[in-house]
Amino acid sequence: MKLSKAFLKTYKEAPKEAEVISHQLMLRASMIKQLTRGIYSYLPLGYKVLRKIENIVREEMDRANAQEIHMPVLQPSSLWEETGRWFAYGPELMRLKDRNEREFALGPTHEEVVTDIVRNMVDSYKDLPFNLYQIQTKFRDEIRPRFGLMRGREFLMKDAYSFHIDEKSLDEEYLNMKAAYERIFERCGLNFRAVEADSGSIGGDSSHEFMVLADSGEDDILYCDVSDYAANKEKASSIIKLEMSNEEKKEKELVETPDCKTIEDVANFFKVDKTKTVKAVLLKEVLADGANYFMALIRGDLDINPIKVKNIAGAATELEMMDEEDCEKLGIAKGYVGSFDKNENIKVVLDETVKYMRNFIVGGNKEGYHYANVNLEDIHYDITGDIREAREGDGCPGGKGTLKIARGIEVGHIFKLGEKYSKALNATVLDENGKQRIIKMGCYGIGISRVMAAAIEQNHDEWGIIWPKAIAPYLVDIIIANIKDETQYSLGEKLYEKLNSKGIDVVLDDRNERAGFKFKDADLIGFPLKIVVGKGAIEGKVEIKDRRTGESQEIKVEEVTDFLKKFIEE
């Protein structure tokens, strides 16, 4: 590509609404153009990066023996109703009606569609296992699209689905996909980590997220400093010191506590540490025909993890905080909540930390009052377990080491779905004994457009993008310093043609612009190598500069091909 012919316009400044560096730099480098909030066009340079990432993904999926298909974006509501996700997925599902008032969704994911294909085509265990994947545009009605390609309403994704007769086969494919993902992100030149994760709205038994480590990441990753353990904050577990209190139990006492609606207020009022209090958190699961209500009780110095509460309580959808209307309906004095008598309308989940406490303070279920000297036998609870949010500095789950925290950007997620969708959609096969068996499934996703943004978040400096070699729009930018100099122009053209003929991804900056302008554009766009054809051209020499290291050297033009061959292999 010759930049004199390119559809390219770079900018010194990014729009004010561009919050993160990847969004700013992609706009400035003319890689994307916003159509409306959360929806972007990919311009030539950006689209080339996207296709390079897509090709790496496709090559590794094919290498892992997955088979590519292409499924419809438009999905009928009837399929989603069969699995219960038409309502459970929530407002993020893009919904529409056709002229006959039939409801459809623009697919954010394709579990229902692919399972429908399989249930109508596969009937014997001999047809299993197999893995089907596609690379396709997805849609999500984000409440607040932001961060450019990181959280858009339309995005490019690779999603794969595997089908198995038993858990052993599913486990094998899960590891196969995990290894394929590691190869993909390594080839993309990313610093990443696979972490244990919650399955979220996709569902299933277990999952891993692939996180690109970056300070701008939206997600907290907790990892052990002496082992391979790593999990996102929603899933992470930890060890904290828990010792049974040896205090002598006292008589429960109702105490007036005016204007004490927070744990801090309560601890200050009673002049105790927050570890002597119990916090009650009120949550709800919104359903099509109402809501389920939950109360989570935990030691006052700790925070609950709503995902853990959801999983332990058996809720089907994400939990939300109760509002004033909910509290009024249930007769709850918000800020003064406790659990002493069974309430048929509220399921109480108790964190294990409360079991070790004696003579603690908790809400009195009466405006302006708390109970002091409460003990475990005084309170009602339905379920107990670990609903605590793990923290940096806690002990690692294995018993050795300390949890550290890092920021990450999720670019991939793999799930063991088990029978979640195949059972709901009645996808079965006959086993070797002629009996009907429900197919077991796995699901494996990569946000391809997200990989593009994450790569920039991890690889940039004050001048612009620093693309990893494998996904750069072009590997080499040949810059003719002065196009009016016939020697420079001729040498630049010949070198460009030679590298092109060798299959090297090269661009020629033959624009009639100042050399400094071209250098700044090259750094902004992030070409891994600049080859400057300048005053040394008269001696048959060019300057090569490495974008990542800043190192430069002058070499003879006939040595360029060998230099590039070594650079590519490094």
Side-chain angles (χ1 to χ4, degrees):
M1 167 58 68
K2 294 183 177 182
L3 291 189
S4 61
K5 307 290 186 184
F7 184 66
L8 173 68
K9 183 177 181 180
T10 56
Y11 302 87
K12 290 183 178 180
E13 304 290 337
K16 291 179 181 179
E17 65 269 17
E19 299 175 60
V20 296
I21 196 68
S22 59
H23 192 194
Q24 294 168 9
L25 291 176
M26 279 191 278
L27 290 170
R28 287 185 56 208
S30 195
M31 293 194 172
I32 59 173
K33 180 69 175 174
Q34 180 172 304
L35 178 61
T36 187
R37 289 189 65 198
I39 301 175
Y40 294 86
S41 297
Y42 292 92
L43 304 182
L45 288 176
Y47 195 61
K48 202 162 190 298
V49 173
L50 200 70
R51 286 293 171 240
K52 284 193 172 186
I53 297 167
E54 184 180 316
N55 288 338
I56 290 171
V57 170
R58 182 174 282 112
E59 286 170 9
E60 291 300 338
M61 290 300 293
D62 292 346
R63 177 182 169 187
N65 293 310
Q67 302 166 75
E68 188 169 8
I69 62 173
H70 191 79
M71 292 179 277
V73 170
L74 202 59
Q75 305 180 24
S77 63
S78 55
L79 265 182
W80 284 67
E81 286 166 356
E82 283 189 67
T83 61
R85 286 210 300 172
W86 183 250
F87 180 80
Y89 202 90
E92 285 75 25
L93 186 64
M94 285 271 194
R95 306 163 199 261
L96 55 91
K97 291 182 180 181
D98 68 9
R99 67 182 66 191
N100 296 310
E101 293 297 305
R102 290 174 297 204
E103 291 186 301
F104 292 84
L106 295 178
T109 183
H110 276 68
E111 284 80 8
E112 283 82 0
V113 177
V114 75
T115 308
D116 181 63
I117 292 170
V118 171
R119 72 175 171 179
N120 287 298
M121 293 185 67
V122 176
D123 51 24
S124 171
Y125 76 97
K126 293 179 181 178
D127 299 323
L128 304 174
F130 55 85
N131 190 332
L132 305 175
Y133 80 95
Q134 66 172 352
I135 296 174
Q136 192 194 66
T137 299
K138 307 285 189 180
F139 299 87
R140 185 169 52 224
D141 194 1
E142 287 283 354
I143 188 170
R144 188 185 166 217
R146 54 187 178 146
F147 303 155
L149 301 184
M150 302 270 277
R151 190 166 291 280
R153 304 175 79 186
E154 180 179 319
F155 51 96
L156 188 65
M157 183 176 171
K158 187 283 300 178
D159 49 322
Y161 308 90
S162 63
F163 298 84
H164 310 268
I165 189 63
D166 55 30
E167 289 286 350
K168 181 176 180 293
S169 175
L170 173 56
D171 290 346
E172 289 170 354
E173 185 61 14
Y174 189 85
L175 292 176
N176 180 37
M177 284 292 101
K178 188 169 182 286
Y181 275 40
E182 288 168 351
R183 293 194 300 271
I184 287 167
F185 298 127
E186 284 169 4
R187 285 184 62 185
C188 287
L190 301 175
N191 179 18
F192 70 95
R193 189 150 190 173
V195 304
E196 292 180 16
D198 182 75
S199 296
S201 60
I202 301 294
D205 301 326
S206 60
S207 72
H208 280 82
E209 288 176 344
F210 290 79
M211 294 285 197
V212 170
L213 302 181
D215 291 339
S216 58
E218 290 186 275
D219 299 301
D220 285 328
I221 303 166
L222 288 161
Y223 63 95
C224 185
D225 61 356
V226 298
S227 74
D228 292 334
Y229 176 79
N232 68 18
K233 205 167 186 179
E234 296 174 342
K235 181 74 172 181
S237 58
S238 65
I239 295 174
I240 61 173
K241 190 175 182 180
L242 291 174
E243 292 181 349
M244 188 63 71
S245 172
N246 57 9
E247 284 185 39
E248 184 178 339
K249 292 182 180 179
K250 299 178 182 178
E251 191 71 26
K252 185 176 69 173
E253 177 186 2
L254 187 63
V255 179
E256 187 174 4
T257 53
D259 300 320
C260 290
K261 290 192 173 185
T262 69
I263 288 296
E264 288 75 12
D265 293 338
V266 173
N268 290 335
F269 182 88
F270 284 94
K271 294 182 173 56
V272 296
D273 190 82
K274 286 190 286 187
T275 56
K276 290 290 292 179
T277 68
V278 166
K279 182 189 299 181
V281 182
L282 303 171
L283 302 162
K284 65 179 177 181
E285 176 189 22
V286 179
L287 305 172
D289 55 353
N292 290 326
Y293 298 100
F294 304 93
M295 181 189 300
L297 297 174
I298 192 168
R299 202 174 73 192
D301 63 314
L302 304 171
D303 292 317
I304 65 125
N305 181 326
I307 298 296
K308 290 184 179 180
V309 177
K310 167 185 171 284
N311 293 337
I312 287 176
T317 63
E318 303 297 320
L319 301 183
E320 303 173 11
M321 296 295 291
M322 286 192 209
D323 55 28
E324 296 287 348
E325 187 177 328
D326 297 315
C327 292
E328 188 174 328
K329 174 184 173 182
L330 296 168
I332 291 172
K334 195 173 181 181
Y336 299 92
V337 182
S339 176
F340 299 99
D341 300 307
K342 185 174 179 62
N343 185 330
E344 296 295 338
N345 296 313
I346 303 175
K347 183 179 282 189
V348 181
V349 184
L350 183 80
D351 185 68
E352 59 189 1
T353 52
V354 181
K355 288 188 169 185
Y356 293 83
M357 299 172 68
R358 283 190 181 176
N359 302 322
F360 53 83
I361 300 156
V362 69
N365 282 339
K366 182 180 179 183
E367 184 77 26
Y369 285 85
H370 281 78
Y371 274 106
N373 301 326
V374 180
N375 289 287
L376 190 62
E377 59 269 24
D378 296 321
I379 61 174
H380 163 76
Y381 58 93
D382 299 294
I383 316 168
T384 185
D386 172 21
I387 58 171
R388 173 174 49 84
E389 188 174 88
R391 305 169 299 184
E392 185 174 23
D394 289 351
C396 299
K400 293 182 179 179
T402 302
L403 288 180
K404 303 289 185 183
I405 197 164
R407 302 288 289 172
I409 301 166
E410 181 190 345
V411 290
H413 206 156
I414 60 176
F415 308 81
K416 290 183 187 177
L417 296 175
E419 298 177 353
K420 177 178 172 67
Y421 297 94
S422 50
K423 186 174 183 179
L425 292 164
N426 196 32
T428 63
V429 293
L430 291 175
D431 67 13
E432 57 188 352
N433 298 314
K435 292 184 178 180
Q436 290 282 350
R437 293 269 295 275
I438 298 171
I439 297 172
K440 298 192 183 298
M441 292 174 59
C443 171
Y444 320 92
I446 291 177
I448 291 177
S449 47
R450 219 164 200 261
V451 169
M452 180 176 169
I456 297 173
E457 293 293 331
Q458 195 177 76
N459 297 276
H460 67 272
D461 61 14
E462 61 184 306
W463 307 111
I465 303 166
I466 307 174
W467 286 113
K469 288 181 282 188
I471 61 174
Y474 293 91
L475 181 71
V476 180
D477 178 17
I478 299 173
I479 298 173
I480 301 173
N482 181 6
I483 65 165
K484 294 178 181 178
D485 185 304
E486 289 187 12
T487 302
Q488 291 183 27
Y489 192 87
S490 175
L491 184 61
E493 282 269 3
K494 288 177 182 177
L495 182 57
Y496 170 69
E497 295 296 340
K498 181 180 179 180
L499 296 185
N500 253 332
S501 69
K502 298 286 184 182
I504 293 171
D505 219 1
V506 59
V507 66
L508 176 66
D509 194 343
D510 58 341
R511 294 176 294 175
N512 186 19
E513 299 283 357
R514 292 176 291 104
F517 179 87
K518 297 178 183 180
F519 296 156
K520 285 182 178 179
D521 266 7
D523 286 344
L524 172 62
I525 294 167
F527 302 116
L529 283 180
K530 289 198 294 277
I531 298 181
V532 181
V533 183
K535 293 179 180 179
I538 197 166
E539 299 174 6
K541 293 180 179 180
V542 294
E543 180 190 6
I544 295 184
K545 187 169 184 179
D546 188 313
R547 175 71 179 90
R548 186 170 296 277
T549 65
E551 295 175 357
S552 63
Q553 56 184 295
E554 192 175 58
I555 65 172
K556 293 178 180 178
V557 71
E558 56 265 26
E559 296 173 352
V560 169
T561 304
D562 287 340
F563 178 93
L564 293 178
K565 185 178 178 181
K566 290 178 183 177
F567 180 78
I568 293 167
E569 291 172 351
E570 286 175 355

